[in-house]
């Protein structure tokens, strides 16, 4: 009888560690499933790049997001101008928060609506962050604005 309890007590920590390991690993997205923007910026010094696969905008709406956060204001200005120069080099006025639609660098989506292949970039000067929301539906687009304007 003692042997049975000893084996049970030895297996409990192993089971707990296995569950913790599986939980930790299940939240990591492999690089092959990440956005091209994340892959482009992930190793650049001074920029912290993050890819979130199913970021919740509300209870029913999720979206993929690539976050680029500058480590200081000089890197932020360089990143801001670099991102804008991809589309329109004349926009040189960083505001506290700005929104801009870009063609996606990740053209794997074919949804068949006006937002197909678009990213909504949200520039936050206060946080030194540029968030690229990889749009699939109009509902996601509208929920992003709801999310940001309820914060103001």
């Amino acid at each position: 009888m003692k042997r049975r309890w000893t084996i049970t007590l030895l297996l409990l920590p192993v089971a707990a560690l296995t569950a913790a390991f599986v939980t930790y690993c299940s939240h990591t997205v492999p690089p092959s499933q990440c956005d091209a923007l994340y892959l482009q910026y992930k190793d650049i010094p001074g920029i912290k790049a993050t890819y979130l696969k199913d970021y919740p905008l509300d209870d029913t709406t999720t979206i993929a997001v690539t976050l680029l956060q500058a480590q200081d204001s000089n890197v932020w200005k360089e990143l801001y101008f670099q991102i804008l120069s991809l589309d329109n080099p004349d926009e040189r006025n960083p505001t506290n928060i700005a929104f801009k639609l870009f063609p996606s660098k990740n053209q794997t989506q074919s949804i068949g609506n006006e937002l197909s292949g678009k990213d909504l970039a949200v520039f936050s000067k206060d946080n030194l962050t540029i968030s690229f929301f990889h749009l699939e539906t109009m509902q996601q687009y509208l929920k992003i604005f709801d999310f940001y304007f309820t914060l103001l």
Side-chain angles (χ1 to χ4, degrees):
M1 192 66 161
K2 280 186 173 183
R3 184 175 173 190
R4 180 184 246 171
W5 280 104
T6 305
I7 292 173
T8 303
L9 290 175
L10 289 175
L11 289 179
L12 282 176
V14 172
L17 288 173
T18 303
F21 178 75
V22 169
T23 302
Y24 173 75
C25 289
S26 68
H27 294 293
T28 304
V29 179
S32 62
Q33 293 181 12
C34 292
D35 185 67
L37 272 168
Y38 168 77
L39 297 174
Q40 178 181 348
Y41 286 99
K42 72 180 179 90
D43 295 323
I44 295 181
I47 298 173
K48 182 181 177 188
T50 306
Y51 179 74
L52 304 170
K53 187 173 181 180
D54 291 316
Y55 181 76
L57 294 172
D58 65 10
D59 292 340
T60 59
T61 309
T62 61
I63 191 166
V65 185
T66 300
L67 301 168
L68 303 177
Q69 184 175 27
Q71 300 301 314
D72 60 42
S73 59
N74 290 331
V75 175
W76 160 253
K77 287 178 187 175
E78 184 179 321
L79 180 64
Y80 180 86
F81 294 144
Q82 181 183 11
I83 297 294
L84 285 179
S85 70
L86 297 174
D87 189 52
N88 187 358
D90 296 328
E91 295 186 28
R92 301 283 190 200
N93 185 19
T95 58
N96 286 343
I97 191 163
F99 300 87
K100 184 151 182 70
L101 272 174
F102 285 97
S104 178
K105 287 187 169 227
N106 194 17
Q107 295 295 332
T108 59
Q109 306 144 336
S110 62
I111 292 107
N113 63 30
E114 65 275 5
L115 295 174
S116 176
K118 301 266 171 109
D119 290 341
L120 179 62
V122 180
F123 300 86
S124 175
K125 185 177 179 182
D126 293 338
N127 298 331
L128 304 178
T129 303
I130 303 174
S131 305
F132 287 89
F133 292 90
H134 309 296
L135 298 172
E136 297 175 2
T137 66
M138 181 60 79
Q139 180 183 7
Q140 290 173 327
Y141 181 77
L142 296 173
K143 293 290 181 182
I144 292 166
F145 287 104
D146 287 346
F147 177 78
Y148 276 97
F149 289 121
T150 56
L151 293 176
L152 297 176

